[in-house]
Amino acid sequence: MSKLYLGFDAGTQSVKVSVYDENLKSITSQSLPTILRYPHAGWVEMDLDEFLDITVRCIKRCVDDIKALGYDPKDVRAVMGDGIICGIAGVNEEGDAITPYINYLDTRTDDDVRFINDMNLDIWVKETGNPEACTMFPAMFARWFLKNNSKFQQQGVKFMHNAPYILSHLAGLKGKDAFIDWGAMSGWGLGYNVMKKEWSKEQLEILASTKSNAAHSPPWEEGA
C-alpha cells in the first residue's frame, strides 16, 4: 500500500488541494477560485461553507486523479490544511457558520481600533510583538461580531479560522470541538502571548472591560 498525503490551502483568491507521496513528490493538484463580497464600503466578507464546498470539490478531483494513476484513495494517510490567519467567523453548537467570514482586507473596525490605540498601552508590544491594534486583527473582528451580529449573540459558541472550519467538518466535529491551532494565534494580533503560546489573561481582561461605540464586552474564553 502506498503512503499519500493530502493538503489544502484555503486562501483569499482560491483553494488549492494537492496530494504528495512519501518522498514529497506531487502526485496531483486541483484549485478553484473563491469569492469576495463587498456588502458595504470598507467591508470584505467570505463564506466558510463556500470554502468547505470548494475544498471538497477539489478533493474529489484529486481522488479521481490518483485513482486514474492506479492509487487507492485509502492510500491517503493524512489530511492537512492551512488558510487565512487574519480572518474569523462565528459558529453555533453544531459547528456551522452563522456569520460571514471577515478577513484582513476588511476595515469595519477602524473606529474601535482607534479607541484601543488611544489607550496607549504597552502590553500589546510586550506580549504580542504588535505595538498597536490594526483593522486586520481577528481580535477586533470578534469585538465587532459580539456587538453587531445578533445571530452570533444568540447562537454563537466559538470563533474559527477557515482552515480549522474545513478540517472540523471533514472530521464531523461539533461546535464544542472547534479549535484554533496555536500556530495561527499570532494572527489574532491582540489577546495572545506569543512567547508562552497561550491566551494572555491581562490582555483579555483589557479587551473585555473596555467599551467603545464599536464594540462591547466579549466572552473571550468561551468565544475563542
Side-chain angles (χ1 to χ4, degrees):
M1 179 180 289
S2 301
K3 293 182 180 179
L4 302 181
Y5 303 91
L6 185 148
F8 67 81
D9 178 24
T12 310
Q13 296 185 331
S14 66
V15 173
K16 182 176 182 178
V17 176
S18 297
V19 179
Y20 294 85
D21 66 15
E22 58 187 318
N23 297 312
L24 301 183
K25 177 184 176 181
S26 176
I27 303 301
T28 184
S29 65
Q30 295 283 343
S31 65
L32 287 169
T34 54
I35 297 174
L36 296 169
R37 298 177 176 84
Y38 308 89
H40 301 288
W43 291 29
V44 182
E45 297 181 350
M46 303 183 81
D47 186 324
L48 281 184
D49 288 315
E50 187 172 71
F51 270 118
L52 175 61
D53 176 67
I54 292 172
T55 304
V56 170
R57 287 161 59 194
C58 288
I59 290 175
K60 175 62 168 61
R61 292 183 181 185
C62 285
V63 169
D64 290 341
D65 288 345
I66 64 174
K67 288 170 67 176
L69 292 170
Y71 294 98
D72 187 326
K74 293 180 180 179
D75 292 340
V76 176
R77 302 299 184 88
V79 175
M80 300 153 282
D82 65 9
I84 303 171
I85 292 177
C86 290
I88 58 167
V91 302
N92 60 16
E93 290 183 355
E94 293 300 309
D96 295 326
I98 54 174
T99 75
Y101 191 71
I102 303 178
N103 69 27
Y104 59 95
L105 299 172
D106 190 284
T107 59
R108 74 185 68 188
T109 62
D110 187 59
D111 289 340
D112 197 25
V113 164
R114 283 196 293 268
F115 171 79
I116 293 293
N117 290 336
D118 284 345
M119 297 173 67
N120 293 316
L121 301 177
D122 61 3
I123 188 172
W124 315 124
V125 70
K126 287 180 178 179
E127 293 191 350
T128 72
N130 299 304
E132 59 183 15
C134 176
T135 56
M136 69 186 291
F137 291 165
M140 304 307 298
F141 301 153
R143 284 169 62 89
W144 190 92
F145 278 134
L146 285 156
K147 176 176 175 59
N148 297 284
N149 190 284
S150 59
K151 199 165 185 179
F152 186 83
Q153 292 167 0
Q154 297 165 10
Q155 303 177 31
V157 296
K158 297 284 183 72
F159 290 121
M160 295 189 74
H161 297 282
N162 64 337
Y165 183 83
I166 295 167
L167 290 168
S168 68
H169 278 70
L170 293 178
L173 303 182
K174 299 295 186 180
K176 65 182 179 62
D177 305 307
F179 61 92
I180 297 175
D181 186 89
W182 70 262
M185 287 310 304
S186 61
W188 272 68
L190 307 178
Y192 189 70
N193 188 317
V194 296
M195 298 302 293
K196 295 182 178 180
K197 296 183 176 62
E198 64 185 22
W199 291 108
S200 165
K201 181 179 179 180
E202 185 176 354
Q203 287 186 60
L204 298 185
E205 287 177 349
I206 294 169
L207 291 167
S209 63
T210 56
K211 298 181 181 180
S212 74
N213 292 330
H216 75 175
S217 301
W220 287 94
E221 295 182 359
E222 296 179 5

